[in-house]
Amino acid sequence: MDRTLLVFDFDHTLIDDNVDISVTKLAPGGEMPEEVESLYSDDGWTKYMGAVFQYLHENGVSAADIRKHVEQLPLTTGMKELFEYVQKAGGFESIIISDANSVFIQYILEYCGLDMAISQVFTNPAEFNSAGCLTISNFHTQDWCPLSTVNLCKGHILQDFIQRRVAEGVHYSRVLYIGDGSNDFCPGLTLRAQDYLLPRKGFSLWKKLEENKEKPESKRRQVAASVMGWDSAHEIRILLENIAEKKSKK
């Protein structure tokens, strides 16, 4: 079975916001106290978010409050139309690899009617405990990738998924990786020449790719995939249409 795989990041890619940062606005006064903010680290996000969820719970923010807030976050411009095209055209499979969490992603996919459009979600597991507090844990704990945080190596997740699908008889003739963040650089490096890396213009991944191009060749990371920046998902849909048109003429 020959398909095209679409891989989506979540924050600032599928949705036009960062869901974790946005939910901190539910705190009293709309801000987290210093003792919570001090737990933020570039090494990993989950410990900080666990403290955020605990603080919200202690201050009377309910599961219903969180869900209502999350569901108000908008999809990125053109994203709904992109999924409509993909579902109508056929031959595509879509997955999410994100450093958000399973509860928030599920809320938005269900609210926007996209839950059936995504075959699998790879993200930090989360659930509400018996007291009604949202808890979160690492997707995995990794020490092999210096480009990624301890809790999430997207390149490893992507390649593991592709290998499992090949074993199931599914071959991806093309992979399109759609993202915005620095942690999307690692999976971008795993893509082949026939694949596409699609960084959102002006965001961290876009800047990282630009910086990489300016480095001396001996220090430059080799990106085999075609790179196309985007501002809205309409541009991604047009790219898919152009690829389909070229394929039909062969």
Side-chain angles (χ1 to χ4, degrees):
M1 193 180 299
D2 186 7
R3 295 184 183 176
T4 294
L5 178 65
L6 302 180
V7 187
F8 293 88
D9 176 46
F10 191 66
D11 296 311
H12 292 302
T13 296
L14 197 145
I15 65 168
D16 201 16
D17 207 329
N18 183 303
V19 64
D20 286 338
I21 292 175
S22 178
V23 82
T24 64
K25 297 174 184 176
L26 292 172
E31 295 183 357
M32 285 288 139
E34 178 57 32
E35 60 264 28
V36 174
E37 287 297 305
S38 64
L39 295 174
Y40 171 77
S41 168
D42 289 336
D43 293 332
W45 189 249
T46 52
K47 183 179 180 180
Y48 168 70
M49 288 310 302
V52 167
F53 299 150
Q54 181 65 39
Y55 183 77
L56 293 178
H57 176 67
E58 291 171 354
N59 284 273
V61 179
S62 68
D65 294 331
I66 291 174
R67 179 161 195 157
K68 181 179 179 181
H69 179 85
V70 169
E71 288 177 343
Q72 293 174 349
L73 300 179
L75 294 176
T76 300
T77 301
M79 195 58 67
K80 187 83 169 180
E81 293 82 357
L82 172 60
F83 277 103
E84 288 172 354
Y85 169 79
V86 165
Q87 290 178 290
K88 183 178 180 180
F92 293 93
E93 184 172 0
S94 301
I95 66 173
I96 291 172
I97 307 178
S98 167
D99 200 13
N101 70 72
S102 56
V103 167
F104 289 173
I105 293 176
Q106 180 184 355
Y107 283 168
I108 289 179
L109 293 182
E110 289 179 351
Y111 185 76
C112 296
L114 296 178
D115 47 320
M116 299 302 292
I118 302 293
S119 66
Q120 203 159 340
V121 176
F122 300 92
T123 189
N124 301 302
E127 62 179 359
F128 287 94
N129 64 21
S130 58
C133 179
L134 186 58
T135 62
I136 185 172
S137 56
N138 289 359
F139 176 84
H140 58 202
T141 301
Q142 68 89 18
D143 59 4
W144 57 81
C145 180
L147 296 175
S148 304
T149 54
V150 171
N151 67 295
L152 198 78
C153 175
K154 294 187 174 187
H156 176 83
I157 293 168
L158 175 58
Q159 291 308 304
D160 183 63
F161 172 79
I162 290 173
Q163 289 168 15
R164 285 191 287 108
R165 293 297 278 146
V166 168
E168 294 166 355
V170 178
H171 171 72
Y172 299 114
S173 58
R174 187 175 288 106
V175 176
L176 283 78
Y177 189 97
I178 305 153
D180 73 282
S182 294
N183 61 358
D184 296 312
F185 188 59
C186 168
L189 295 174
T190 72
L191 300 177
R192 306 160 298 178
Q194 67 264 40
D195 299 331
Y196 284 82
L197 177 56
L198 306 177
R200 191 172 183 186
K201 291 180 181 177
F203 285 76
S204 298
L205 176 59
W206 170 264
K207 294 174 183 177
K208 203 172 190 73
L209 288 166
E210 290 296 301
E211 291 169 2
N212 185 60
K213 285 194 301 184
E214 295 172 1
K215 291 180 178 179
E217 190 170 352
S218 60
K219 296 183 179 180
R220 191 182 308 154
R221 298 271 187 171
Q222 295 304 311
V223 180
S226 298
V227 177
M228 187 195 86
W230 59 279
D231 287 310
S232 83
H234 292 305
E235 296 161 84
I236 302 170
R237 177 178 51 80
I238 292 170
L239 172 63
L240 294 181
E241 291 173 344
N242 290 339
I243 291 172
E245 184 178 350
K246 290 178 182 177
K247 189 175 180 180
S248 67
K249 290 179 178 179
K250 287 185 178 180

